[in-house]
Amino acid sequence: MNESKIIDYEESLQTAMLSSNVEMLDELIADDLIFVNDLGQILSKEADIEAHRSGNLKITGIDVLEQRIRLLNTLALTVTRVALTGTFGEEPINGEFCYTRVWEYRNGELKIISGHCSSTT
């Protein structure tokens, strides 16, 4: 595992989020995911993916402003600040957010096991 590989996975995640590709999201996210959104709600993998599947969450733009990566044996920690646009239900999304993700190397694949999102605006 190296930084380049982590960046590739992060970019795959962004592509999946922009296209609401639930199959790709399913591959990238561990079944036992724990995700805390910007409202402080704790979400499961299924809840996270369902927002995309249902069309409730539509991300139209992700501009990476800053990214830091830490490699820790079979884990990688990413902290990524982005400018995000889209909608959640009828509410517009337009601001800067900071995502922290923990990627774990499992059975030959990297999976997101934990994530947190905070609004920075």
Side-chain angles (χ1 to χ4, degrees), residues 30-101:
D31 290 340
D32 56 349
L33 170 78
I34 299 172
F35 179 72
V36 180
N37 69 14
D38 62 315
L39 301 174
Q41 298 167 321
I42 300 171
L43 304 174
S44 65
K45 173 183 180 173
E46 186 52 37
D48 188 31
I49 290 177
E50 182 57 29
H52 289 276
R53 181 182 294 116
S54 68
N56 197 38
L57 175 61
K58 294 180 184 174
I59 298 173
T60 57
I62 301 174
D63 183 22
V64 175
L65 305 172
E66 179 181 4
Q67 186 169 62
R68 296 182 187 188
I69 299 169
R70 297 270 192 257
L71 302 175
L72 309 161
N73 297 319
T74 61
L75 301 175
L77 173 70
T78 62
V79 177
T80 308
R81 190 170 55 90
V82 299
L84 195 65
T85 56
T87 56
F88 187 76
E90 298 296 319
E91 296 296 316
I93 301 170
N94 188 10
E96 286 186 16
F97 296 84
C98 191
Y99 288 87
T100 301
R101 283 186 274 273

Side-chain angles (χ1 to χ4, degrees), residues 5 9 105-110:
K5 185 170 190 161
Y9 272 77
Y105 195 68
R106 291 182 174 180
N107 302 318
E109 298 177 325
L110 282 167

